[in-house]
Each structure stands twice: as structure tokens, then as C-alpha cells.
Amino acid sequence: MKHMIHITLKGGAVKEFEAPVTPMQIAKSIGEGLYKAVCVAKIDGVVRDLRTPIEKDAQVELLTFDDEEGKRAFWHTASHVMAQAVLHLFPGVNCAIGPAIKDGFYYDFDVEKPFTPEDLEKIEAEMKKIVKQGIPLERFELPPAEALELMKDDPYKVELIEEHSGKGEAISFFKQGDFTDLCAGPHLPDTSRIKAFKLTSTTGAYWRGDSSKQMLCRVYGTAFPKASMLEAHLAAIEEAKRRDHRKLGKELGLFTILDEGPGFPFFLPKGMILKNTLIDYWREIHTKAGYKEISTPIMLNQDLWHRSGHWEHYKDNMYTTVIDDTNFALKPMNCPGGMLVYKTEPHSYRDLPLRMGELGLVHRHELSGALHGLMRVRCFTQDDAHIFMTKEQIKDEIVGVAKLIDDVYSMFGFKYHVELSTMPEDHIGSDEDWEIATNGLIAALQELNKEYVVNEGDGAFYGPKIDFHLEDCLGRTWQCGTIQLDMQMPERFELEYTGADGEKHRPVMIHRVVFGSIERFIGILTEHFAGAFPVWLSPVQAIVLPITDRQHEAAAKIKDQLENAGVRVDLDGRSEKIGYKIREAQLQKIPYMLVIGDKELENGTVSVRSRKGVDLGAMPLDTFIAKIQEEIASRSND
């Protein structure tokens, strides 16, 4: 017998329906626009297919492409459309997996030879036919034995089913026309909703990321509900290519990575100026904030890493060696060395909080396939700091660190958002300590009126953390700053301070970084500014351009005056046309070009041009020096 149920929608509105009702029917009852836009639904907090029958009162949130879960379902469905198209064109190909990823999807195929760009065009054309047909995606389940029989000709699906079959649960599939895939879903109702898509690239990928297993052909793509959205996305990709720090790093002479050291960047002279300028800024703001700088060895014995807990949780990422029959490891992080520094002398409660900063070179073993310019390397300079404090000082210290990070990101013009990560399953320490630590982070965020997202179970093994994700000019986010609260390592290293009561107490510790990695931050800045760094950061801040050889001697004197005024300056004395010299300087992203001709010598001026092509006119050299010194001192981003 039919009965009525109440559906509570996002925002609190309640609608009555005859049971059973599906999210698709709910969307249609609200409006045709929503019905066409909805991708999946969240039913009592669980993301489901739009055709899921709802038999009882429930909270239902209808999710479109604007929602993250909607995007994932959209892109996952697009990956199924691509796989179906591939099997139409290349019968006998084995399909591996095809998940949604950030900004799109991929699918791995076992093929005799990798797909070519021409193949991708053919696949796209076949995908358009499948989309036009509006083929429904229908979910069904089979017992493990029947699932194995259905997928017996595809070894990758068989492997996945066999791993799951031990649980005794039914195996989930999705069928669209003549294509059936092993999949938990959810998916769009049919293929017609994928209005615009593009296959962007192919690459090799080992099955399940294991280099001992079969190399597959991975095809990447993206898809959108509207052609205009796809066009904007592809334009953003092209802009990102133009800003790629690897390309600009080479063109601007900042850094290189050689075959002799994969993942180990070589900084060139101009790159070192940039790096050292950032480090000078780091030292300045940390001195003002009451930090004392230390330096600890990059290699310490294995016993230390056992004591800190890193060996148990991190050994696969560590480089090791043997010295005098003792096992040593290159440090993957600076904190154990900081513990030893704290223990070199006794401390009183009057010494706390004790803030110790370190620009430590750390080494981490990354898989070769994960390496990416300066963004993912095997050694980097971590702008670390460790703050030792009493429990009563936790909130104030976290607030102070968060304000420092905010000052830095704001100075570079970055927006950012905050995420709080809580206790993981693989952790050390008591639940009580974790609760105290987590509450300390929450209290600080509340005092700062910072909105934050909670990542359940994503904390470090020794404590909860706050991560700062900055947003660059292309809208991409990068996790850089972090604040990690730790009650475990002081316990393991038996750190102490003498309290006001004369008794020994255990300090609490904060691990924190601002840049995260100096090298990675340089990569982010390079892409954010497209290599046109603010004047204070630019490796070369001005260049003197004599029009002819007659002005060379005067140009050299001007260069000397600028250098004496603290300006980083070059002189282009080549016998080239001035237009060519200006274009070369603009390609090198040099902020200011000082053109010197007979007229300028006669008037005692320099003609100033900006790298943006703006002619700032002739001015006395002293006027220009005052102008650029002000820009450098203020650390302006203009």
C-alpha cells in the first residue's frame, strides 16, 4: 500500500511525496532547470544515484556540477563513455580502472601500442555518438562467482573482484548499452548530460602504480555541462602551460634538474638570488616574532628515528647509509634534531614559549613518476620552526603562528583557506592527549574567526594539524603552511621544564612551516607571477641599455651607481639595436629598462621603461633610484 513520506531539502524546506520516490522525481517536481542540472543526490548524508528509491522520510540534497560530489559523478560517467568508445573502436582491449580526478578523469587500458593523438580524435568522435544516444547507466549487483564469470575475459577486473570477493558481499556493476563496467558509482542517469568534453593527453601508467606490473596506456580527459565551461577550462590549461615554472625556470636561468640528480634541483645564480631574498625575508619576520634560528645535521643515526617514531611510520621515504658500523638516515624532517637542541640545556617555565626556527635541508624518497620540477622533489629546504610551551600557552601560540602565516600570504597577494585534520588510525599517544591538542587548534581558529574544513583522520601520526591552502592567480590551490600540535614527541624525548611549583613538567610542542618548502614556494611564485616577480624579489631589478657604443662608458657608471644604491642591475652593452635589447629584457621579465642615448647624456637623465611596455619617460637617475628603493623596501607586488 502506498504511503506518504516527507523529504527535507537543503535549506530546510519539506516536501511530501508518495513512496517510493527517487531524487530525479524530486528534482523534476521542483523545476525543469534543476532536473536537467542535477547529477547525483545525497540521501541522509550518503551520495547516491538519482534513481535510488526512497521509501521513508529522509534528508535529500540534490547535487549539481557546482558541487564536488556532482563533479566526481559527472567525470566518472565521462570515463565510462570513453571506455565504451574505446571498446567500439579497438575490440579486445582490456579496461583497467577509470576514476574521476581533480579537473577531469582518466581510464587505463591494456593496449598493444599506446594511443596516438589521431586515435584520441577518433575516440572523441565515438564518444559524441554515445552521448547523442542518451544511453541510460543502470546499476546491478552479482554474487562474486557470477561477477567473475561476467568479467572472465578481463584480467584486471578479475583481480579486483577476487580481492573483494573474500568479504562475501555482492559486486556492483554499471551497464550502459553494450558496455558493462565493474563500478560502485554513483553515475549520471544517462550519457546525454555530458555536453562538452575533451581528451587531453595520454601517458604510461603501471597497473596499480607497481613498476613490476603491466604498463598500461592512461588516457586523460575532462568534461563539462556546457561548451563555454570547457573552453574556459582549456584556456586555463594553456595559460598554466605558459606559466609552467619548469619552462620559466629554464628561460629565466633560475634552476635546472639534471639526469645526474633526478629530483635534486640545481639552483643557478639568478635562482639563488631569488631563494636568498626569500630566506632574508623569512629571517627578518621570524626575528621580529621572537624566533631563535638553529641548524641541525642532515644525517643522524637510526636510533634517533626509532625514538621519534619516524622509522616506523616513514622509513620507506628515508635514505639510509652505514657509518662506522652504525645505521644512519638523512633527515626527512627537522623535528628530532630540534628535540636534541632543546635537551642541550635545562629550561624553566620562564623560558617558555621557546620558539626555534630552522631552514633545514631534508631528503625524502619520492617515486620517479611523482617528481615534478620544484613542486615535488627529493630534497628541499623546509622553513621549519618548533615552539615549546605550556598547555596554557597553546591557543595564544597557535594564534600567533596563524597571524604570521596570514601576513606572509597577504603580502604576496594570495587568498587561502584553512583545513583542520584530526586523529588518524595510525597514531601514537592517548585519545585524551589528542582531544586536548585538537581542542587547542579549534579554540585558536575560533578566536581568529577563521572558517575551516575538517578532514577527519588526516592528521600527522603524532598530532592534529591546521593546513593553509593558498590560491594562485589561476585559482589553483597549494598546501603550504601548516601548524601541527604535538604532545607525543616531547614524551618520547623526555623533554622537561621546571614549573613555577619547582616540579618537572612536560612541554607541548608545535611544528609549523610558512612557505612549507622554499623550493616549492619558488615554483608557486614563478607560476603565480608568470616569472614577472615583484621588484624586491626579481633577480635583476633593472637593466641599463646604451643605444650605441658611445654611451657605454656612461652606462657603466650608471650601473655602478645603481649597485651602490642596493639595486640588482645588469648592463647590456652588446652592439645590437635598442629595440632588440628592450625585447630581450622584457622576455627576461626585468622590471625596469634604463635607456641611455645622446639626449639622456646631454640632459643628465635616464629614459625608463617598464617590463609591461609602459614608457615612464625621462627622469634624473636619483629620482629613479628613490622610486625603485621605495618599491624594494615596501615589498610592493605591483
Side-chain angles (χ1 to χ4, degrees):
M1 182 178 175
K2 301 283 186 180
H3 65 282
M4 304 305 290
I5 59 173
H6 295 90
I7 301 298
T8 304
L9 301 170
K10 185 178 179 181
V14 179
K15 296 196 72 173
E16 189 175 65
F17 295 91
E18 191 177 82
V21 66
T22 67
M24 188 180 295
Q25 292 169 327
I26 296 171
K28 197 161 191 175
S29 75
I30 295 172
E32 192 66 22
L34 178 60
Y35 171 70
K36 291 180 178 179
V38 67
C39 296
V40 287
K42 192 177 286 185
I43 304 172
D44 289 333
V46 180
V47 180
R48 299 288 192 187
D49 188 282
L50 289 177
R51 285 161 300 191
T52 303
I54 304 171
E55 305 275 359
K56 59 180 182 175
D57 293 355
Q59 290 190 332
V60 176
E61 186 177 350
L62 300 169
L63 306 173
T64 69
F65 191 81
D66 292 333
D67 300 291
E68 285 304 312
E69 296 94 338
K71 282 188 177 73
R72 283 199 292 271
F74 195 98
W75 288 330
H76 194 182
T77 304
S79 79
H80 278 225
V81 172
M82 178 173 69
Q84 185 177 20
V86 166
L87 290 178
H88 284 178
L89 297 172
F90 304 93
V93 166
N94 283 320
C95 300
I97 57 172
I101 56 173
K102 186 180 185 298
D103 293 331
F105 58 91
Y106 71 77
Y107 213 115
D108 289 342
F109 302 99
D110 190 348
V111 293
E112 289 186 9
K113 57 181 182 179
F115 293 131
T116 64
E118 293 74 22
D119 291 332
L120 296 192
E121 290 180 7
K122 293 175 184 176
I123 296 167
E124 282 185 1
E126 185 64 23
M127 289 174 69
K128 288 178 182 177
K129 295 177 184 177
I130 295 168
V131 167
K132 191 173 182 180
Q133 293 173 35
I135 303 170
L137 281 87
E138 299 168 323
R139 184 179 183 273
F140 66 94
E141 294 182 346
L142 290 175
E146 293 181 31
L148 286 170
E149 177 62 25
L150 179 64
M151 292 283 128
K152 63 183 179 182
D153 294 328
D154 192 323
Y156 304 101
K157 307 297 184 186
V158 167
E159 182 178 327
L160 294 171
I161 293 169
E162 286 177 340
E163 287 182 1
H164 190 81
S165 62
K167 301 177 183 178
E169 299 172 357
I171 308 297
S172 172
F173 292 89
F174 271 84
K175 183 181 188 306
Q176 62 192 58
D178 58 4
F179 174 68
T180 299
D181 205 357
L182 174 70
C183 183
H187 283 284
L188 302 183
D190 64 72
T191 61
S192 69
R193 299 189 176 214
I194 304 172
K195 302 296 185 185
F197 53 86
K198 179 70 177 175
L199 302 185
T200 53
S201 64
T202 64
T203 187
Y206 291 111
W207 170 234
R208 311 191 85 167
D210 187 338
S211 60
S212 68
K213 295 184 177 180
Q214 177 70 24
M215 173 68 78
L216 305 173
C217 178
R218 177 169 293 177
V219 181
Y220 286 97
T222 192
F224 293 88
K226 296 179 182 178
S228 59
M229 296 170 72
L230 175 62
E231 290 168 6
H233 177 75
L234 295 177
I237 290 176
E238 289 305 309
E239 179 63 15
K241 289 178 181 177
R242 187 179 74 83
R243 292 169 177 265
D244 191 319
H245 76 284
R246 296 168 297 179
K247 171 178 172 287
L248 291 171
K250 181 178 181 180
E251 293 173 355
L252 302 179
L254 302 178
F255 75 95
T256 187
I257 296 178
L258 304 175
D259 292 341
E260 291 83 353
F264 300 96
F266 287 69
F267 272 84
L268 307 177
K270 288 181 181 178
M272 280 306 300
I273 292 173
L274 177 57
K275 185 176 182 180
N276 285 333
T277 303
L278 277 174
I279 288 173
D280 289 344
Y281 168 62
W282 184 93
R283 288 195 166 113
E284 177 188 316
I285 60 176
H286 282 78
T287 298
K288 287 180 180 177
Y291 288 78
K292 306 297 182 184
E293 187 173 354
I294 63 171
S295 177
T296 63
I298 65 169
M299 183 186 294
L300 295 162
N301 70 39
Q302 189 174 311
D303 288 343
L304 176 75
W305 303 107
H306 281 291
R307 197 185 339 166
S308 69
H310 288 96
W311 188 260
E312 179 183 353
H313 296 267
Y314 219 80
K315 63 178 182 292
D316 292 340
N317 292 90
M318 296 171 69
Y319 295 107
T320 60
T321 189
V322 178
I323 302 175
D324 297 334
D325 299 323
T326 301
N327 293 321
F328 278 73
L330 293 176
K331 65 179 179 181
M333 54 271 297
N334 300 306
C335 32
M339 307 296 106
L340 299 182
V341 171
Y342 183 91
K343 287 175 70 75
T344 58
E345 58 180 308
H347 296 280
S348 158
Y349 71 96
R350 293 187 179 90
D351 302 326
L352 305 182
L354 177 60
R355 308 181 187 106
M356 298 195 300
E358 178 173 13
L359 294 162
L361 185 65
V362 300
H363 290 73
R364 300 179 184 179
H365 178 61
E366 300 282 358
L367 296 175
S368 59
L371 300 175
H372 181 79
L374 297 179
M375 303 301 196
R376 184 64 70 89
V377 291
R378 286 172 168 160
C379 76
F380 56 92
T381 308
Q382 196 169 45
D383 66 313
D384 232 331
H386 298 101
I387 305 174
F388 303 91
M389 72 205 87
T390 67
K391 288 182 180 179
E392 294 73 27
Q393 294 169 331
I394 289 175
K395 181 171 67 68
D396 289 344
E397 285 304 300
I398 293 170
V399 167
V401 172
K403 286 181 176 178
L404 178 67
I405 292 173
D406 180 76
D407 288 345
V408 172
Y409 291 174
S410 299
M411 200 265 296
F412 287 105
F414 287 121
K415 299 176 184 177
Y416 66 88
H417 72 269
V418 177
E419 297 183 3
L420 171 67
S421 298
T422 59
M423 184 176 72
E425 290 185 17
D426 182 23
H427 69 275
I428 58 177
S430 69
D431 289 358
E432 182 183 358
D433 280 350
W434 274 85
E435 185 177 356
I436 292 171
T438 304
N439 289 339
L441 295 181
I442 291 172
L445 290 172
Q446 290 174 340
E447 179 166 319
L448 291 164
N449 291 318
K450 290 285 183 188
E451 293 184 5
Y452 60 93
V453 175
V454 177
N455 291 328
E456 293 290 350
D458 200 37
F461 69 87
Y462 49 76
K465 62 177 181 171
I466 298 171
D467 288 327
F468 295 78
H469 297 257
L470 62 82
E471 182 180 323
D472 68 14
C473 66
L474 295 181
R476 300 170 301 181
T477 56
W478 308 90
Q479 195 272 303
C480 291
T482 187
I483 306 173
Q484 300 174 354
L485 197 54
D486 186 356
M487 295 183 176
Q488 314 312 322
M489 213 164 287
E491 185 72 32
R492 285 181 169 234
F493 282 84
E494 299 178 338
L495 304 189
E496 294 179 336
Y497 69 90
T498 302
D501 58 3
E503 300 296 322
K504 297 294 184 183
H505 298 272
R506 195 78 74 208
V508 179
M509 187 176 78
I510 285 176
H511 310 247
R512 48 111 291 195
V513 294
V514 181
F515 297 140
S517 153
I518 300 287
E519 288 76 5
R520 185 165 174 265
F521 200 74
I522 287 172
I524 294 168
L525 288 176
T526 302
E527 297 194 359
H528 181 65
F529 291 115
F533 300 106
V535 174
W536 71 276
L537 268 181
S538 293
V540 179
Q541 296 165 326
I543 187 166
V544 183
L545 306 176
I547 294 177
T548 69
D549 291 344
R550 291 193 305 275
Q551 295 92 33
H552 194 280
E553 183 178 346
K557 291 180 180 178
I558 290 171
K559 177 178 180 288
D560 289 343
Q561 286 179 266
L562 287 165
E563 284 181 336
N564 291 335
V567 179
R568 296 189 289 270
V569 59
D570 273 353
L571 167 64
D572 187 347
R574 295 175 297 168
S575 298
E576 299 283 357
K577 291 183 178 179
I578 191 63
Y580 177 80
K581 289 182 180 182
I582 289 171
R583 285 191 297 276
E584 286 281 290
Q586 287 175 321
L587 288 173
Q588 285 297 301
K589 318 283 188 180
I590 298 171
Y592 292 109
M593 288 142 267
L594 277 58
V595 178
I596 313 297
D598 289 339
K599 182 179 177 181
E600 284 75 22
L601 288 183
E602 182 181 339
N603 295 332
T605 60
V606 292
S607 288
V608 183
R609 296 177 63 91
S610 78
R611 62 186 161 201
K612 297 177 182 177
V614 178
D615 187 349
L616 301 178
M619 63 184 73
L621 181 59
D622 287 347
T623 301
F624 173 75
I625 287 174
K627 168 183 168 58
I628 196 170
Q629 283 179 331
E630 169 58 26
E631 287 187 54
I632 294 168
S634 66
R635 295 194 174 101
S636 167
N637 281 329
D638 297 334

